[in-house]
Each structure stands twice: as C-alpha cells, then as structure tokens.
Amino acid sequence: MAETKYETKGLDCWGKAKELRTKYYKDYVECRERGGLRWEGGAWSFDALPEALEGEIRPLTEEPYGATCGAVPAIQRKYQEAAEGKWGCAKDLCAYMRSYWGSIILDEFAFGGKWPESDFIFQNHICCSHAKWLQVAGEIEGGNIPYFCFDVGAGPFYKIGERQIDYVTEQLYDGIEFLEKTTGRKIDDEKLARKVENTYRSACYWSKACELNQAIPAPLDEKSMYSLYVFGVLEKSNDDYADFYEKELYPEVKDRVANKIAAVGDETCRILGDSQPPWGFLRVLRYMEKYGVVSIGSLYTFSLVGWWRIDEEGNLKPYKTLEEQGITIKNREQALRLLSEGELKGKLMWAPFYGARIKNDLVKKIAKQWKCDAAMVHLNRGCEGTAQHQMELKLALGNMGFPVMTYEGNMADDREFDEARTMRLIDLFVTETMGLKRLKE
C-alpha cells in the first residue's frame, strides 16, 4: 500500500458502536418477554418521557428503520412495492415512510421475523409526513394502538422565547398524562431527570465531536459519521448511548486530532454535503477518497442529533450540557422545560423548515468554519424536509465562490439513483472543476 500524507486508522470504538446498535433492535423485539413495553416514534420524539416510565420500555424510531431498509436495495424495493402496489401509496412520498409501511403490510421485520407490533405510539410533528406516518402505521397494524403526537413547529431557534418553550412544555405534560393512562405505569421523576440529562449529553457531545472535524486533517469522514450519529436518533436519552458519546467517541476523536490521525490519509480537498445520502450506495463517498477528497459533514449530519448555539462572533458552537451550565434538575417542571428548551433552541436542523435564508446562513457558516473547499449536494427526492431550498443553497454557496456539484437521487429508493452517472459526475467535478488527480493505489 502506498504511503499516505497523514496517519490513518479505524476508530477503536467502532466495535462498541456495532454492538450497541445490534442490541437496540434485539431488545425491542424481546422486551415483552421480560414484561417490557414497546413504543414507536420518530427520531426527534421526546424519548426521555416514555423512557422515564416504570419498568422496561423499548423504542423503535421510524427514520433509522427506514434508512436501514434503504441500505439494502432488495429489501427496500420489496417493502416499497408492497406499499405502492398492495396499499396504493404514492411514489413521491417519503422513502423511509414507504419502506416502513410496506414492512408492516408484509408483516416482516428487516432484522428477521414478523413485524413486532408496539404498545403505543409517541410522535412529534415537524416534517409534513411525521404525524400521519405513524398514525397510518398504527392503522395498518390493526388500528388499536394508542397514539399521541406533539406539535413542535414553534419557530426557528433564534426566535425561541418563554412563550414557545411554554407551548411545548404544556404538551409534554399532556404526553405524560397519555403515557400513564395508556400504560398503567407512572413516570419516575428521578428517572426522568436522568433521561433529560442523558438527552443533553448525547446531543451536546455529538456536537463536540463534529466540532473537532474542523481540524486538518479531519478525524472523521461523513460515511463513518452516519453510523455514529445513529444513537441520538434511536434513543438519545439512553444511558449507554450518552456514555458512548461522552466517554468513548468524543475522547477518541479528540485524541485523533491531537495526533493528526486522519479519516482520509491523503486529505487534499474538503467537501461539504447536504441531505441524507443514498443509503444503498455509500460507496460513492469512498470513491471520492481516491482523489484525496473527504466529506467532513453537513448541516444534516451535525444537527440531526447535535445541538448548537451561535456565539457572539456568529460561529457555531456546541450547546452546553447541563453539567457545563451548572444545572441540577430538581423537579418535573424543570426537567420538562429544559427538555423543551434544548430541542427548540439547539436543534438547528429544524430551522430549514422556516425558509431558505435560514438554511443558507447556517450552511455558509459551516462551509467557512470547517474549512471546506467545495460542496456536493444530493438532490434527494426521498425527503422533502431535508431537501428543501437546495437550489437556493447552491446559488448561495456559488456566490461565496464555492464550487458546487449536485447529483439526483433518493435516500432510500434505488429506483431513483443512477450510480454510474453519479460516479462520472464525481470524476468530472473533482478533475475538471477542482483540478484534482486520482491518487495511486
């Protein structure tokens, strides 16, 4: 193997990450045998609440499941064709949602066996399909699954004040009432406090790890980051996941920066991404590395899970954990308000739902702070939410002098992705526009 510019090696915590992810789905299937309850919800649901109930409670979040299906084209195609053909689902709806519905229709769980029906649904609504997604899923599963949904459309992060926090906190109280009535179990306030603290730790330490990717060479590549952010969208209040981010991933990434250990050994060019990738074809990101190109992340990768704030100089900084803020949760009211505040003020990924200018401003900050040379935008027909304003974004980055490549596709429907064409576009972009040459292998 040819010598590289920087030392490079895999992550030491990678095995632990795989172990935790496998256990998540296994526990969901098996928890009823141990007297536990199962619930379905979104990646952005307030999972600290159901997880604070007495006894064992296990979630299945919809978007990560849809992405898992999307990573195996044969599986997602089968599920989506079931949703489209057997149930009449429109092909232009969310690709994750179609796979999720098709999986239930066929009574198949992507990890093996029959579809594991939940005991209740606990969802929030920000994207145009979120509320209906699981409402319909509950109907397909039999129509008797108790359902609760929050409205979190309170405005972008910089407009959040006491009124908006009150609005969501009042709904959290309603959610607790629903949970206790539905399950016959009580919320344990000490457990709730710990789960809210975990939510902060997961969100803030993921941001801290992403912040370290400003280093040259970048310690993480975006393809690997997709496998690491997942715990924050599976169950960010989980004790083990918060510990993983704080005590394993963040220290290791920090060590990689200190020792100049690179994700891409011949880092020559730093690319900024946008939206979810085509999950069944992540090799396109590895293909770019043959030219010394590293994808350092995106607004999506950084803030789907991570919480951020804008400092006085206008730079993105990781949101502070409760410990860093000197806060100890003393009662239920404080726990719920802190949970609402963190999600509404820190989750920048909700901001693009309120306009192109907001998204453009955030992405331009990332492009500068993370020392990017160019951008590669996936025109993702599988998700209307993350793909909003993409052509406006291309113009905004172009006006900064950034070369921008776009390619069409779908995060979880391989029928809408042309791999050969995308590879050719990458070749042309990095050689003709960026002036790079393919490295010797």
Side-chain angles (χ1 to χ4, degrees), residues 56-279:
E56 184 179 8
I57 310 288
R58 298 292 179 178
L60 175 68
T61 48
E62 55 194 349
E63 299 95 330
Y65 182 80
T68 297
C69 297
V72 185
I75 290 178
Q76 55 93 349
R77 197 178 309 131
K78 177 171 67 170
Y79 291 168
Q80 290 182 9
E81 287 175 353
E84 294 159 5
K86 294 187 177 182
W87 199 67
C89 176
K91 290 184 178 181
D92 60 352
L93 292 176
C94 170
Y96 290 168
M97 185 170 68
R98 285 182 283 139
S99 287
Y100 198 92
W101 288 350
S103 184
I104 301 171
I105 290 166
L106 295 177
D107 195 21
E108 288 184 13
F109 194 50
F111 296 91
K114 294 183 177 296
W115 177 262
E117 185 177 302
S118 65
D119 295 292
F120 61 90
I121 293 170
F122 202 67
Q123 174 65 303
N124 69 358
H125 186 71
I126 184 71
C127 164
C128 57
S129 61
H130 271 156
K132 287 296 180 183
W133 180 336
L134 288 182
Q135 184 180 25
V136 170
E139 292 171 359
I140 299 172
E141 289 182 42
N144 297 315
I145 300 177
Y147 173 91
F148 187 88
C149 188
F150 300 93
D151 172 28
V152 292
F157 62 95
Y158 61 88
K159 289 188 176 181
I160 299 302
E162 291 302 306
R163 184 170 67 88
Q164 289 81 7
I165 294 171
D166 287 344
Y167 173 65
V168 173
T169 302
E170 288 168 7
Q171 294 180 72
L172 296 184
Y173 276 107
D174 292 339
I176 287 176
E177 183 180 346
F178 163 82
L179 289 170
E180 293 186 335
K181 181 179 179 181
T182 298
T183 66
R185 302 184 183 188
K186 294 293 183 181
I187 293 287
D188 180 326
D189 283 333
E190 288 187 7
K191 194 175 179 182
L192 175 63
R194 188 178 82 248
K195 295 300 182 180
V196 172
E197 290 167 357
N198 287 345
T199 299
Y200 270 75
R201 287 199 294 143
S202 293
C204 298
Y205 274 97
W206 174 249
S207 296
K208 289 174 184 287
C210 293
E211 182 187 35
L212 292 171
N213 233 29
Q214 295 178 42
I216 296 176
L220 297 172
D221 64 279
E222 194 169 23
K223 182 179 182 296
S224 298
M225 293 169 81
Y226 292 141
S227 296
L228 297 168
Y229 77 40
V230 71
F231 303 110
V233 289
L234 292 177
E235 189 184 2
K236 50 191 168 291
S237 67
N238 184 291
D239 298 11
D240 292 336
Y241 300 168
D243 283 346
F244 175 78
Y245 283 133
E246 179 181 0
K247 300 176 182 179
E248 298 193 51
L249 177 65
Y250 175 66
E252 182 173 356
V253 178
K254 194 174 181 180
D255 180 74
R256 288 170 73 93
V257 171
N259 292 286
K260 288 190 174 294
I261 298 174
V264 176
D266 283 303
E267 179 184 313
T268 303
C269 175
R270 297 164 67 90
I271 290 282
L272 173 70
D274 188 61
S275 191
Q276 299 97 318
W279 291 113

Side-chain angles (χ1 to χ4, degrees), residues 378-398:
H378 176 211
L379 302 177
N380 178 13
R381 289 195 288 269
C383 178
E384 294 179 1
T386 62
Q388 285 187 96
H389 324 303
Q390 286 188 308
M391 298 314 289
E392 290 91 338
L393 176 62
K394 179 182 179 182
L395 290 173
L397 291 173

Side-chain angles (χ1 to χ4, degrees), residues 321-335:
T321 65
L322 294 181
E323 182 180 12
E324 289 171 330
Q325 294 182 52
I327 295 173
T328 300
I329 297 175
K330 298 177 181 178
N331 53 54
R332 180 177 295 189
E333 169 70 18
Q334 186 186 22

Side-chain angles (χ1 to χ4, degrees), residues 157-158 203-204 206-214 272 296-320 345-352 357-372 400:
F157 62 95
Y158 61 88
C204 298
W206 174 249
S207 296
K208 289 174 184 287
C210 293
E211 182 187 35
L212 292 171
N213 233 29
Q214 295 178 42
L272 173 70
I296 56 85
S298 64
L299 177 64
Y300 166 81
T301 312
F302 293 168
S303 63
L304 183 72
V305 172
W307 292 352
W308 300 84
R309 58 189 176 87
I310 309 296
D311 70 8
E312 293 179 356
E313 286 74 41
N315 295 317
L316 271 70
K317 295 293 182 181
Y319 208 81
K320 292 183 178 181
K345 285 187 173 181
K347 194 181 290 297
L348 303 186
M349 195 59 214
W350 282 350
R357 180 188 59 79
I358 303 172
K359 179 179 181 179
N360 291 350
D361 287 347
L362 290 171
V363 175
K364 287 191 293 184
K365 289 180 188 297
I366 293 172
K368 290 179 180 178
Q369 280 185 240
W370 274 259
K371 308 175 185 69
C372 297
M400 293 174 62

